[in-house]
Amino acid sequence: MQFKLSFALLSFLITSHLGSSSPIHDYDRIEKRADPVYTTSISQCAAVAARSSPPTSVHDLRPDDFSYAMALGDSITAGAFSRGIQSDFLKSFSEWRGDSYAGGMDPGAITIPNLIKNYKPSLTGGSLGSNAGVELCFGPLCPIGPFGWNSAVDQLNAAQSGALASNLLHEVRDYLIPQVKRRNIPSSAYKYLNIQIGSNDICSMCFQSVIQAGPASPDDFENSIRETLEAVRKGIPNTVVNILGVFKVSDVYTMTLNQPYCSQILPVPHVNIECPCMLLGGAIGNATRAAMDSLQSQYNERLVKIVKEYQQKRYADL
């Protein structure tokens, strides 16, 4: 059984805004090509030469070696509300999973699975189409067992809108692993798994940046990630896991402040619904957003720590 953990360094650096005291300084040397090629379509991406010999492990893979694309996460990975406000009002609340950057495979969508599929046309597992409503899972407010997914649309994208880090193990055990077994996916086949989580934890429990104990604390977040990775490593062998850093959610406040578009559904700007810690005004809001940023940095430090450990272990045979 083989397992590899990678880290989305570029996305992490762009979105995380970590301070100089963060361990991100270990990753600040990213090679930049002097001759980048820009295209208007994935199909125009440069081809790769044929392999002279097949890969022998997950530590030696190219895009054309993957057979399946998978994803775990929250509403971002589920593609919830990603097409914005629709002329058909009810469609505004859909999950456009086929467009999901992390797990979508609708034709023409610019997604990681479609980028891989460009080099491996037989790739499967990406979401197709949309769900009329969200597949909700928020902490304890989550369906028990293998319920709450629409496999015809979701495919191997197990993300659920509202998910916390503590819900990832549920996504793996109750949906992803059973789906892999149901499809008779060979253990020897190479798989790509994208994980992005943490935004809902930060939004609803930013006070954990100070309390440091209980649900959504840095320790709890780290334990949830570790349990999830071990479940994947043991249950879905030959998987490359790509973990994204938690982005600076608090920036959404200034980005949307006084934007008329954001008041179309509810005619009150910055209604405090989805992200309690972010959308308060005045001194209280400044304090809660600072707490969000602190917790984000603490989460990302834990993610870097986990990734380093897995990279050092280089799991090959169990």
Side-chain angles (χ1 to χ4, degrees), residues 42 97-106 109-116:
I42 291 177
R97 287 189 173 245
D99 293 342
S100 164
Y101 88 93
M105 202 179 280
D106 275 0
I110 300 177
T111 68
I112 294 175
N114 276 343
L115 283 165
I116 299 173

Side-chain angles (χ1 to χ4, degrees), residues 90-305:
L90 293 179
K91 288 186 177 180
S92 302
F93 301 94
S94 299
E95 286 182 343
W96 305 97
R97 287 189 173 245
D99 293 342
S100 164
Y101 88 93
M105 202 179 280
D106 275 0
I110 300 177
T111 68
I112 294 175
N114 276 343
L115 283 165
I116 299 173
K117 189 177 178 67
N118 181 63
Y119 296 98
K120 186 67 173 287
S122 62
L123 183 85
T124 62
S127 297
L128 300 170
S130 63
N131 289 320
V134 297
E135 297 175 352
L136 183 65
C137 175
F138 178 72
L141 303 177
C142 193
I144 298 174
F147 304 101
W149 289 275
N150 176 10
S151 60
V153 170
D154 302 346
Q155 301 291 314
L156 297 180
N157 178 359
Q160 293 184 299
S161 294
L164 305 175
S166 59
N167 297 126
L168 287 181
L169 191 59
H170 161 64
E171 293 181 8
V172 173
R173 285 181 175 174
D174 293 331
Y175 183 75
L176 192 56
I177 291 178
Q179 283 294 311
V180 168
K181 292 180 179 178
R182 188 170 296 118
R183 293 165 180 247
N184 294 316
I185 294 176
S187 295
S188 59
Y190 293 115
K191 307 141 190 104
Y192 169 88
L193 174 63
N194 199 89
I195 299 179
Q196 181 182 4
I197 200 70
S199 298
N200 293 317
D201 301 75
I202 289 173
C203 274
S204 57
M205 289 174 271
C206 55
F207 54 84
Q208 285 292 7
S209 64
V210 177
I211 296 177
Q212 299 282 301
S217 66
D219 284 344
D220 183 65
F221 179 82
E222 179 179 345
N223 290 336
S224 294
I225 299 298
R226 289 186 181 277
E227 288 179 347
T228 300
L229 292 174
E230 282 302 289
V232 172
R233 185 175 68 85
K234 295 174 181 178
I236 313 177
N238 285 311
T239 296
V240 171
V241 181
N242 185 40
I243 296 183
L244 271 75
V246 183
F247 73 97
K248 192 177 180 184
V249 184
S250 64
D251 277 350
V252 176
Y253 177 80
T254 53
M255 291 172 62
T256 60
L257 188 63
N258 299 321
Q259 293 291 329
Y261 179 88
C262 299
S263 303
Q264 290 185 55
I265 294 180
L266 292 175
V268 180
H270 282 74
V271 175
N272 190 12
I273 298 177
E274 273 198 87
C275 193
C277 287
M278 180 181 68
L279 297 181
L280 292 172
I284 295 178
N286 291 336
T288 56
R289 284 187 289 279
M292 289 176 67
D293 294 345
S294 175
L295 190 57
Q296 173 224 356
S297 294
Q298 293 174 53
Y299 281 1
N300 283 332
E301 288 172 359
R302 300 302 180 97
L303 290 177
V304 171
K305 172 186 173 184

